[in-house]
Amino acid sequence: MTSAVTMVGISPAIQGVEDEIEHAARCDAKVLITGESGVGKEIVARLIHGRSRRNRGPLVTINCAGIPDSLLESELFGHVKGSFTDAHRDKRGWLESAHAGTIFMDEVGEMSLRMQASLLRFLETGEIQRVGSDRKLPPVDVRVITATHRRLLENIADKTFREDLYYRLNVVHIEVPPLRDRRVDIPVLLNHFLCGFAEAYQIQVPEVVAEASECLTAYHWPGNVRELRNIAERLILRAPEGRITVEALPAEITRDRKPREAVTVAVKPTPNSQMLFDRMFTHGASFWSEVYEPFMARDLTRHDVRDVVRLGLEHTRGNYKMLVQTFNMPPEDYKKFLNFLRKYQCHVPFQRFRMMPASLARPSHIATA
Ligand SMILES: Nc1ncnc2c1ncn2[C@@H]1O[C@H](COP(=O)(O)OP(=O)(O)OP(=O)(O)O)[C@@H](O)[C@H]1O
Ligand SMILES: [Mg+2]
């Protein structure tokens, strides 16, 4: 992927965030960026720094989550030799390192009350006192940008975040909305990531078929843009013949898919066959172990097998080759699979599944054997 920072998106919400970035870049005020995990808060921070007059200075990024208090304090403010066991020499902290630039403090909502007090002191005076030193260093010139996925007003209410610190940090507030609230950005972001990964892996950009695109746009994206980026990478690595179809999408995305639900209800499968289909479709089980073996052991009827095949053909629109993939068999098992179906009279004609929009409920005449 290319490393240039860009805020991809066409929604009015993202345009609004862009405007706020521009405004923040023109001033030197502290910025608080809020939004769910993976929405792009770090991108916002990097763009503000990159477009500000400080862009020749450093951008120092720290993640306040998961760093023990003692370590965070010495990393932020530095320490002097001998101030604790491993302090073999004087070390300057991140705030000093960010002089003439910007410090981006991610997950600021995770800071302990003690660290919040230290940070507030620094914000009021600009002075730094290294851990173990009784001398104050001259004030540094640092712009502070913070981010959190938390609702800090709630933390203030339950007294885990200082109200005075909140108002100091929250001079310019930028809220990045979750992806599900700006769905028009989903295809645009998907295309952006697919192009980036295609370039990185030296392959052609795959085509996303309309139905797959609809599923991706309808999904609720709890992990926001980070999740979309990860899925784009997974998809590009297994897009057969340069196409991304519904079958290639992860189960969590297709699970809520409306057309499939409609189809499922319409063919009225037996509970047995629906469960078998789900085991293969959603959980990656193979046709040989889920259907073939129990059938040969007479635990499944011919009717069950036909029903499973029918569900599969609904899904692949009558394509038996694709069915082999959907039922998690290797492509070379295609012939063996068809031979088995024919031998035991479980073969289902595929023609009627062709040309059928998946969103249309099936009439009941194909529901029974
Ligand atoms: N609008 C966007 N355009 C392009 N890439 C984006 C966009 N938003 C997010 N990303 C990408 O998604 C990933 C997550 O973004 P980022 O790290 O900025 O999220 P975050 O809000 O800081 O998440 P967290 O709360 O988990 O730290 C990154 O790889 C980032 O490059
Ligand atoms: Mg982040």
Side-chain angles (χ1 to χ4, degrees):
M1 302 279 300
T2 46
S3 57
V5 186
T6 42
M7 189 86 189
V8 177
I10 53 167
S11 61
I14 277 303
Q15 299 302 318
V17 170
E18 272 285 352
D19 292 346
E20 287 172 274
I21 291 171
E22 281 302 320
H23 161 74
R26 269 183 264 121
C27 67
D28 209 33
K30 294 176 194 59
V31 183
L32 174 67
I33 308 164
T34 54
E36 288 180 15
S37 183
V39 285
K41 298 187 290 297
E42 185 159 352
I43 291 199
V44 172
R46 288 167 67 186
L47 287 173
I48 295 172
H49 172 76
R51 294 178 189 174
S52 75
R53 65 168 180 84
R54 295 176 174 270
N55 61 10
R56 284 165 195 268
L59 169 67
V60 175
T61 296
I62 67 164
N63 190 331
C64 306
I67 306 183
D69 248 26
S70 53
L71 197 61
L72 185 58
E73 188 173 18
S74 86
E75 292 289 0
L76 256 185
F77 300 106
H79 60 248
V80 293
K81 184 178 166 185
S83 53
F84 53 91
T85 324
D86 292 329
H88 301 303
R89 58 180 111 96
D90 287 6
K91 187 172 175 266
R92 64 180 190 163
W94 287 317
L95 284 168
E96 269 179 82
S97 306
H99 182 62
T102 306
I103 190 160
F104 172 47
M105 303 177 71
D106 205 355
E107 302 298 358
V108 72
E110 312 308 302
M111 257 190 187
S112 71
L113 285 167
R114 197 173 77 83
M115 278 309 296
Q116 291 176 33
S118 304
L119 178 61
L120 186 63
R121 222 169 17 249
F122 165 75
L123 295 176
E124 278 165 356
T125 63
E127 286 172 350
I128 291 169
Q129 194 168 346
R130 288 182 177 175
V131 173
S133 165
D134 44 20
R135 196 167 59 89
K136 287 202 172 73
L137 298 172
V140 288
D141 169 29
V142 175
R143 184 193 201 168
V144 178
I145 302 181
T146 49
T148 180
H149 68 279
R150 292 197 182 275
R151 295 181 187 283
L152 288 182
L153 288 175
E154 287 171 16
N155 292 31
I156 292 169
D158 67 20
K159 303 227 176 323
T160 53
F161 202 85
R162 291 179 69 124
E163 190 172 11
D164 45 5
L165 178 59
Y166 174 76
Y167 287 110
R168 278 233 166 234
L169 298 175
N170 184 11
V171 179
V172 175
H173 181 195
I174 302 182
E175 166 84 21
V176 189
L179 197 49
R180 79 189 76 86
D181 289 352
R182 46 182 167 109
R183 291 189 192 274
V184 286
D185 290 340
I186 296 172
V188 185
L189 278 161
L190 178 67
N191 185 50
H192 167 74
F193 292 130
L194 289 177
C195 291
F197 286 121
E199 194 187 321
Y201 291 110
Q202 297 280 297
I203 51 176
Q204 282 231 317
V205 182
E207 171 207 355
V208 184
V209 307
E211 214 183 325
S213 180
E214 280 160 25
C215 281
L216 288 159
T217 309
Y219 179 54
H220 63 292
W221 297 107
N224 293 293
V225 186
R226 179 176 297 109
E227 186 183 11
L228 177 60
R229 185 181 188 275
N230 291 343
I231 283 179
E233 184 166 20
R234 250 197 284 167
L235 288 175
I236 208 146
L237 293 175
R238 44 174 200 172
E241 294 148 19
R243 295 176 87 227
I244 293 175
T245 59
V246 175
E247 290 69 37
L249 301 181
E252 65 269 24
I253 290 179
T254 48
R255 195 172 295 139
D256 308 334
R257 189 175 157 229
K258 296 234 161 35
R260 198 168 84 79
E261 279 169 13
V263 166
T264 304
V265 171
V267 297
K268 289 196 188 79
T270 60
N272 226 359
S273 58
Q274 181 63 60
M275 184 192 68
L276 292 168
F277 178 80
D278 285 345
R279 263 198 236 150
M280 293 186 284
F281 183 73
T282 312
H283 301 292
S286 155
F287 177 86
W288 299 123
S289 58
E290 289 307 307
V291 181
Y292 174 82
E293 280 174 21
F295 175 74
M296 296 313 275
R298 295 174 191 273
D299 289 335
L300 285 183
T301 64
R302 191 167 283 153
H303 180 83
D304 292 327
V305 179
R306 280 196 208 121
D307 237 5
V308 174
V309 172
R310 226 174 259 126
L311 279 173
L313 288 174
E314 280 279 0
H315 186 73
T316 66
R317 310 255 186 113
N319 186 331
Y320 265 102
K321 274 231 163 90
M322 223 190 254
L323 192 58
V324 170
Q325 193 185 332
T326 304
F327 286 173
N328 304 303
M329 293 177 270
E332 57 271 23
D333 283 2
Y334 177 59
K335 274 206 170 139
K336 190 173 140 193
F337 174 56
L338 287 189
N339 287 342
F340 160 73
L341 296 180
R342 289 206 180 100
K343 183 169 174 189
Y344 294 96
Q345 292 101 50
C346 296
H347 191 267
V348 178
F350 61 82
Q351 288 82 355
R352 61 186 170 196
F353 298 95
R354 293 270 164 100
M355 315 299 296
M356 182 184 70
S359 53
L360 288 184
R362 296 298 303 146
S364 57
H365 68 265
I366 65 155
T368 49

